[in-house]
């Protein structure tokens, strides 16, 4: 592959750095997250920015700041915010950096207007630039001012050389007006709400920008209704068609709906250390793929309630300017917990002020032995400043492994295994929902959260699919149990965020809504032929195990026998099939003549709706061990935990 996704991001950030000298820089959350993975705040400050602020209507600049750079997704709300900031400041030079392609922004600004002439003439980007620059001039309100609107695709981050994520699209999920299954059998872009249509176009724009910068000319494959919409925009949008004419590296882009298989992301059986850390620690404020680490063990400050206590900034896991930390982060995805602990202990032992035992003499590295070295550096700010990255990573792992949440996760994991064996052994659902109802009722005694049990329910319904049907009586009983539990726990749940009083009737409605959504989740794979089941007999011959849809697909794609993958649709297939039947040459060899994703040297597998680190590791391992020569990248909208995946799927 000509360019890695990491290099794609770096190349475009350097374009940003060229424009920020002497400027007050305003970033939205998604751009700030992308900046973090490129090196962080100091990249802007050392590059010449005079101030860095969040894109908020409450922010403005002092009279001596005359230049502003806005790095933004250019939504209608963000444009209003930029207007407020400019009117409350005294700028004479404003640069608007749109992370989203201007052809998408143009359609949104002119929603409801007839712009077909501009599109037909190919003048969309020029017209959008003119409109945005006109807005900036109006807001500055001075005759002597300089304005610029430019598209710079700051939209991806790369935790490893193989995995990439799109922070700006972390809320994109295969849903249609809050439903998992669209009312219509065939869905087209104009059947979506304007906000949903916008999300599809913006995600397609991000993928298009990435492929443009990497000189990739793609064949598009997809699985799932939502993925077909993104594939359609990539196939038919004038910007994408023009790009394919100029790009030369043949690539297969495979887009898949997360909702076809929610088992992997709602499973509490986590082997990857990164998944464990993300499930236990709170999110870094404003970020979708980073955690907030309590730094009080290193500092003299008395922190009462992390992360709400603002006197101490939280730490984080990824440190783009520290090669040792980048290596450890990679290990957190790809190596075992034992290997990660030894790696951290090795790196910490080089800075150890207490001279702990050498890693060679230790049989086992425990959280306590790592913590001992870290806390020995407390208050020694000279040591801390030199080794801040590894100390933050060590604290993250220690806090995760010592957290009471770990016991909860392990308990749900063991329940998960019991349930899947019950379902697989008898294909009989009678006892499963009864078990779950009992667990929900006794959750306080077992120290289980309702959210974890809801994630377990999503896991069960996705796992059983259409192979197992649950009795109405048990489902009704579960609905009743859920209603009571939601009422009891509503203060700790998502329901009470705006402080409203929640009534038993509302909880009743909510539990019915949850059950209806669970039934939809069980139906998601009914449109598939080969990959309907994700419960497979173990290779040992004893019992059954979960084998994810993504895993099954990748195993088939790297298989030298090239088995058929009828569920993976090729974007051009419909027209080609019509031509074939018209010419009457439908033969048994047809399947061999259809395009195979691994015919191209580069393959991008993109999952809409989130992946786990464990999935990325396993898929990458399948590619490596198969011996294929193809370069395979794994992308998604975000890294996700079981509870987050549950909230997305149940729209809570």
């Amino acid at each position: 592959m000509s360019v890695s996704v990491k290099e794609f991001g770096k190349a475009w950030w350097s374009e940003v750095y060229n424009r920020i000298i002497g400027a007050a820089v305003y970033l939205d959350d998604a751009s700030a997250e992308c900046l973090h993975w490129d090196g962080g705040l100091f990249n802007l400050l050392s590059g010449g920015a005079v101030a860095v602020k969040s894109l908020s209507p409450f922010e403005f600049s002092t009279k001596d700041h005359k230049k502003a750079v806005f790095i933004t997704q250019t939504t209608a709300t963000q444009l209003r915010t930029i207007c407020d900031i400019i009117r409350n400041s005294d700028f004479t030079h404003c640069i608007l950096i749109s992370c989203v392609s201007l052809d998408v922004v143009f359609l949104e600004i002119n929603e409801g207007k007839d712009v077909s002439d501009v599109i037909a003439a190919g003048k969309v980007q020029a017209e959008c630039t003119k409109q945005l620059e006109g807005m900036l001039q109006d807001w500055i309100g001075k005759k002597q001012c300089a304005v610029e609107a430019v598209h710079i695709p700051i939209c991806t981050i790369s935790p490893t050389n193989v995995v990439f994520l799109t922070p700006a699209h972390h809320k994109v999920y295969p849903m249609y007006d809050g439903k998992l299954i669209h009312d219509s059998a065939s869905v087209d872009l104009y059947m979506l709400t304007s906000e949903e249509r916008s999300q599809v176009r913006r995600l397609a724009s991000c993928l298009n920008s990435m492929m443009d910068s990497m000189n990739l000319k793609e064949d598009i494959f997809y699985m799932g209704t939502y993925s077909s919409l993104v594939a359609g925009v990539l196939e038919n949008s004038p910007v994408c068609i023009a790009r394919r004419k100029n790009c030369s590296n043949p690539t297969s882009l495979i887009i898949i709906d997360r909702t076809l298989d929610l088992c992997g992301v709602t499973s509490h059986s986590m082997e990857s250390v990164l998944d464990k850390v993300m499930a236990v620690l709170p999110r870094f404020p404003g970020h979708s793929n980073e955690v907030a680490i309590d730094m009080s063990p290193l500092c003299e400050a008395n922190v009462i309630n992390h992360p709400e206590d603002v006197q101490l900034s939280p730490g984080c896991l990824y440190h783009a300017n520290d090669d040792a930390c980048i290596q450890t982060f990679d290990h957190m995805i790809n190596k075992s917990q034992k290997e990660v602990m030894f790696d951290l202990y090795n790196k910490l032992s080089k800075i150890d002020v207490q001279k702990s035992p050498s890693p060679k003499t230790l049989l086992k590295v425990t959280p306590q032995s790592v913590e001992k070295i870290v806390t020995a550096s407390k208050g020694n700010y000279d040591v801390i400043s030199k080794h801040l990255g590894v100390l933050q990573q060590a604290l993250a792992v220690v806090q995760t492994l010592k957290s009471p949440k770990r016991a909860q996760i392990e308990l749900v994991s063991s329940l998960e295994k019991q349930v899947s064996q019950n379902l697989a052994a008898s294909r009989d659902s009678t006892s499963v929902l009864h078990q779950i109802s009992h667990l929900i009722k006794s959750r306080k005694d077992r120290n289980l959260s309702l959210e974890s049990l809801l994630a377990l329910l999503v896991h069960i319904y996705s796992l059983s699919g259409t192979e197992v049907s649950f009795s109405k009586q048990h489902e009704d009983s579960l609905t009743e149990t859920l209603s009571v539990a939601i009422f009891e726990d509503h203060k700790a749940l998502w329901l009470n965020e705006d402080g409203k009083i929640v009534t038993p009737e509302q909880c009743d409605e909510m539990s019915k809504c949850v059950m209806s959504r669970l039934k939809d989740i069980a139906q998601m794979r009914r449109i598939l032929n080969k990959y309907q089941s994700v419960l497979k007999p173990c290779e040992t011959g004893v019992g059954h195990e979960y084998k994810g849809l993504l895993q099954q697909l990748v195993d088939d794609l790297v298989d030298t026998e090239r088995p058929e993958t009828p569920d993976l649709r090729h974007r051009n297939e419909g027209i080609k099939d019509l031509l074939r039947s018209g010419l009457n040459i439908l033969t048994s060899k047809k399947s061999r003549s259809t395009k195979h994703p691994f015919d191209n040297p580069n393959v991008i597998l993109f999952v809409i709706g989130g992946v786990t680190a464990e999935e990325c590791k396993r898929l990458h391992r399948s590619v490596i061990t198969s011996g294929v020569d193809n370069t395979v990248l794994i992308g998604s909208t975000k890294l996700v935990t079981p509870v987050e995946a549950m909230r997305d799927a149940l729209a809570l």
Side-chain angles (χ1 to χ4, degrees):
M1 199 169 272
S2 59
V3 193
S4 75
V5 189
K6 266 191 176 160
E7 284 168 16
F8 153 65
K10 284 206 174 302
W12 286 113
W13 271 112
S14 62
E15 287 289 316
V16 172
Y17 302 145
N18 289 340
R19 288 173 162 82
I20 60 168
I21 296 164
V25 180
Y26 291 84
L27 302 108
D28 62 17
D29 282 351
S31 309
E33 182 164 1
C34 289
L35 175 69
H36 165 67
W37 293 79
D38 187 64
L41 173 67
F42 291 106
N43 282 14
L44 293 177
L45 296 175
S46 60
V50 293
V52 180
K53 301 176 184 243
S54 68
L55 191 75
S56 157
F58 304 107
E59 290 284 5
F60 63 94
S61 283
T62 54
K63 296 275 182 199
D64 54 332
H65 292 165
K66 296 297 179 187
K67 178 181 173 184
V69 173
F70 300 95
I71 308 172
T72 162
Q73 307 307 308
T74 330
T75 62
T77 307
Q78 289 179 344
L79 286 171
R80 283 196 295 275
T81 300
I82 291 169
C83 170
D84 290 344
I85 293 169
I86 291 174
R87 287 188 168 157
N88 290 323
S89 307
D90 193 27
F91 301 127
T92 55
H93 184 184
C94 285
I95 301 173
L96 169 62
I97 294 174
S98 173
C99 301
V100 178
S101 177
L102 295 181
D103 59 305
V104 176
V105 176
F106 180 76
L107 291 173
E108 290 178 14
I109 291 175
N110 298 287
E111 176 92 39
K113 296 177 190 168
D114 181 12
V115 289
S116 50
D117 291 354
V118 181
I119 294 169
K123 293 180 178 173
V124 170
Q125 306 212 10
E127 196 59 36
C128 187
T129 304
K130 191 171 146 190
Q131 276 186 303
L132 290 171
E133 289 178 352
M135 288 178 187
L136 291 172
Q137 276 176 321
D138 286 348
W139 299 335
I140 293 171
K142 296 184 178 121
K143 285 185 180 172
Q144 295 297 312
C145 67
V147 295
E148 182 188 7
V150 61
H151 166 48
I152 299 180
I154 302 295
C155 59
T156 60
I157 60 172
S158 300
T160 73
N161 291 327
V162 175
V163 180
F164 71 95
L165 305 163
T166 59
H169 310 289
H170 72 274
K171 288 187 176 168
V172 176
Y173 199 75
M175 256 191 201
Y176 316 93
D177 210 6
K179 297 176 187 167
L180 287 170
I181 300 171
H182 199 278
D183 296 334
S184 171
S186 63
V187 186
D188 108 12
L189 201 58
Y190 290 92
M191 295 162 84
L192 305 182
T193 64
S194 64
E195 189 184 337
E196 288 170 342
R197 199 159 49 242
S198 201
Q199 282 188 330
V200 170
R201 284 183 180 138
R202 283 170 171 263
L203 179 57
S205 149
C206 170
L207 293 170
N208 180 64
S209 297
M210 185 181 105
M211 289 187 288
D212 190 14
S213 294
M214 294 163 72
N215 191 25
L216 303 178
K217 180 180 184 175
E218 79 283 6
D219 281 306
I220 305 172
F221 300 83
Y222 64 90
M223 201 188 292
T225 315
Y226 198 89
S227 293
S228 75
L229 296 171
V230 177
V233 175
L234 280 167
E235 189 70 31
N236 301 315
S237 132
V239 174
C240 301
I241 293 168
R243 189 244 319 147
R244 273 193 295 275
K245 285 177 185 167
N246 299 321
C247 291
S248 56
N249 282 356
T251 299
S252 294
L253 172 64
I254 303 169
I255 312 173
I256 297 177
D257 286 7
R258 176 76 264 174
T259 45
L260 292 173
D261 176 10
L262 290 165
C263 306
V265 282
T266 50
S267 170
H268 285 74
S269 304
M270 304 166 193
E271 285 179 33
S272 160
V273 174
L274 181 58
D275 283 337
K276 292 176 185 177
V277 171
M278 292 194 76
V280 169
L281 298 187
R283 277 289 173 277
F284 198 89
H287 286 234
S288 53
N289 301 290
E290 181 62 278
V291 294
I293 301 159
D294 179 5
M295 297 299 289
S296 56
L298 283 175
C299 306
E300 302 291 349
N302 294 317
V303 176
I304 298 153
N305 186 16
H306 170 79
E308 282 80 23
D309 193 329
V310 292
Q311 67 172 319
L312 184 64
S313 297
C316 58
L317 269 187
Y318 192 82
H319 302 271
N321 301 321
D322 186 331
D323 290 342
C325 288
I326 291 172
Q327 183 196 43
T328 302
F329 192 91
D330 194 285
H331 290 347
M332 285 184 182
I333 297 177
N334 293 309
K335 303 266 172 134
S336 68
Q337 182 175 308
K338 184 181 175 184
E339 288 169 303
V340 170
M341 295 297 280
F342 263 103
D343 171 65
L344 282 168
Y345 194 89
N346 262 318
K347 285 169 179 162
L348 289 168
S349 60
K350 289 169 189 162
I351 59 166
D352 184 14
V353 289
Q354 277 193 341
K355 299 285 170 273
S356 296
S358 137
K360 288 171 189 165
T361 61
L362 282 175
L363 293 172
K364 186 182 179 190
V365 175
T366 62
Q368 287 75 15
S369 53
V370 170
E371 187 178 37
K372 191 179 168 198
I373 304 183
V374 174
T375 49
S377 310
K378 185 182 176 92
N380 188 338
Y381 295 116
D382 190 36
V383 169
I384 291 169
S385 63
K386 282 181 191 153
H387 305 282
L388 195 52
V390 70
L391 287 166
Q392 286 176 76
Q393 288 179 327
L395 276 174
V397 174
V398 167
Q399 285 164 17
T400 298
L401 297 179
K402 290 181 74 178
S403 166
K405 276 190 185 175
R406 284 290 302 133
Q408 274 186 41
I409 288 170
E410 275 157 20
L411 177 53
V412 179
S413 171
S414 66
L415 295 168
E416 214 174 87
K417 286 181 182 125
Q418 280 175 30
V419 166
S420 63
Q421 287 313 317
N422 285 0
L423 285 175
S426 58
R427 303 282 166 184
D428 177 16
S429 59
T430 46
S431 62
V432 171
L433 293 192
H434 187 66
Q435 275 178 295
I436 301 294
S437 291
H438 179 65
L439 281 170
I440 292 171
K441 286 173 186 168
S442 61
R443 67 192 181 284
K444 299 272 197 303
D445 305 333
R446 295 166 187 260
N447 196 22
L448 285 171
S449 72
L450 181 56
E451 287 186 316
S452 293
L453 291 171
L454 283 169
L456 178 59
L457 270 172
V458 171
H459 182 83
I460 289 165
Y461 271 81
S462 185
L463 191 68
S464 55
T466 51
E467 297 172 82
V468 180
S469 55
F470 298 102
S471 77
K472 185 176 184 308
Q473 183 192 351
H474 283 108
E475 286 190 327
D476 289 348
S477 167
L478 178 60
T479 309
E480 211 173 291
T481 307
L482 268 177
S483 175
V484 174
I486 290 170
F487 184 70
E488 287 173 351
D489 289 14
H490 70 265
K491 284 185 178 166
L493 289 171
W494 61 91
L495 290 170
N496 210 41
E497 281 172 6
D498 46 8
K500 286 180 188 164
I501 293 169
V502 176
T503 65
E505 290 75 23
Q506 284 174 311
C507 296
D508 217 24
E509 201 52 48
M510 175 69 74
S511 74
K512 283 177 188 163
C513 181
V514 166
M515 285 309 298
S516 161
R517 194 59 60 92
L518 288 170
K519 288 175 189 174
D520 284 349
I521 286 166
Q523 294 295 314
M524 295 311 294
R525 286 191 302 279
R526 77 183 191 287
I527 57 170
L528 305 180
N529 298 307
K530 188 172 183 181
Y531 303 122
Q532 271 202 4
S533 175
V534 291
L535 252 185
K536 302 288 181 187
C538 291
E539 287 176 7
T540 54
V542 181
H544 285 68
E545 64 183 349
Y546 161 69
K547 187 174 183 186
L549 179 142
L550 293 171
Q551 189 66 56
Q552 291 181 51
L553 175 65
V554 168
D555 286 350
D556 279 350
L557 292 178
V558 297
D559 188 338
T560 49
E561 295 288 312
R562 293 219 164 167
E564 284 195 38
T565 51
D567 299 318
L568 190 63
R569 310 295 296 273
H570 188 244
R571 187 62 205 159
N572 288 331
E573 243 165 35
I575 299 161
K576 286 179 182 167
D577 284 353
L578 277 174
L579 289 170
R580 273 197 202 98
S581 53
L583 296 166
N584 198 22
I585 51 166
L586 275 168
T587 66
S588 58
K589 292 184 180 174
K590 178 197 156 192
S591 62
R592 292 289 168 222
S593 64
T594 52
K595 190 89 181 162
H596 189 280
F598 276 65
D599 288 342
N600 292 322
N602 309 309
V603 180
I604 299 172
L605 178 70
F606 190 84
V607 184
I608 300 175
V611 289
T612 63
E614 183 65 27
E615 282 180 316
C616 293
K617 175 180 86 175
R618 291 189 179 198
L619 296 175
H620 181 51
R621 197 161 285 174
S622 292
V623 174
I624 297 298
T625 53
S626 72
V628 295
D629 291 333
N630 308 66
T631 302
V632 179
L633 294 179
I634 300 158
S636 186
T637 44
K638 61 182 170 184
L639 288 173
V640 74
T641 66
V643 167
E644 287 166 347
M646 174 276 294
R647 282 183 181 160
D648 285 339
L650 300 180
L652 300 174

